[in-house]
Amino acid sequence: MADKSFFIDTTKCTACRGCQIACKQWNKNPGTKTLQRGNHQNPPDLSAATFKLVRFNEVEVPGGEPKWYFFPDQCRHCMSPPCKEVADGKAKGAIIHDEKTGAVIFNPKVKIKPADLKETREACPYDIPRWDEKTGGMSKCTMCIDRIKEGMLPACVKTCPTGAMNFGDRKEILEKANKRLAEVKGTYKDAMLANPDDVRVIFLLVDDPKKYHKFAVAENTIGITRKMALKRLFQPLTSLRHMIG
Ligand code: SF4
Ligand code: SF4
């Protein structure tokens, strides 16, 4: 099985939330009570019961109508997942990187301490890992690995009625994403692909990423959080000390 990727074309997302519901249904995740919080965001955030969340962001336009930005958020299945780098040192087997598909899988059965979850979440440039109270482990999007190994599309992609969600072999998905980017550039000069070389879930955005979601695009060089960069900086020194000691 080849290396896989998603392409999420936000210009085609109508915020129907079909992907969000299909994800819950396939993963047998319980519903979350809908509440009026003065906006359309329901549930309020990703959780152990919500691996896929359409984020709604209303942006005021001076002198005009407010504008909506829709962002179907999920784990990006990073090429070199920083979450795994941290978790490997905390709880062995808590995060698995599937060689064939590239899927980054959390094993919710491997127990992890709340402090370790916090560190793992901080390492994720997209703020994805969540605590699963029921198992004492971590949870997030699975890339629907059980479906794709049987030749099916991920549930969220299969359900999307507008073509916003796409999935396939990485080479073809990158071609599709770049072709679409070139198409929309004429209309949206700020159009961009979010960290395409570093992630397997590639978003097409046509405006300032912060208008979609705080964590739409990685702030720093992906795979290297501040803490990890410092650790790497001092690693040669640590190794030297070991050798001398
Ligand atoms: S998006 Fe976050 S949780 Fe997902 S693979 Fe990357 S670092 Fe890990
Ligand atoms: S790939 Fe599967 S688990 Fe991940 S967001 Fe889509 S439906 Fe949910």
Side-chain angles (χ1 to χ4, degrees), residues 74 82 116 155 228:
Q74 67 175 93
D116 296 341
M228 286 167 76

Side-chain angles (χ1 to χ4, degrees), residues 1-12:
M1 184 176 281
D3 196 4
K4 299 292 181 190
S5 282
F6 294 74
F7 169 49
I8 304 185
D9 184 348
T10 60
T11 67
K12 295 186 178 174

Side-chain angles (χ1 to χ4, degrees), residues 159-181:
T159 303
C160 178
T162 65
M165 297 286 309
N166 301 269
F167 180 82
D169 292 350
R170 179 164 176 84
K171 189 171 167 287
E172 278 143 38
I173 284 291
L174 277 169
E175 279 168 15
K176 192 177 188 124
N178 280 301
K179 187 167 173 261
R180 180 68 181 147
L181 175 65

Side-chain angles (χ1 to χ4, degrees), residues 3 35 62 87 108 112 131 152 167 174:
D3 196 4
L35 287 176
I112 189 156
W131 180 255
M152 293 189 281
F167 180 82
L174 277 169

Side-chain angles (χ1 to χ4, degrees), residues 6 23 27 51-52 74 141-144 154-156:
F6 294 74
C23 178
N27 290 292
F51 300 164
K52 175 94 185 172
Q74 67 175 93
C141 156
T142 63
M143 202 193 261
C144 280
C156 53

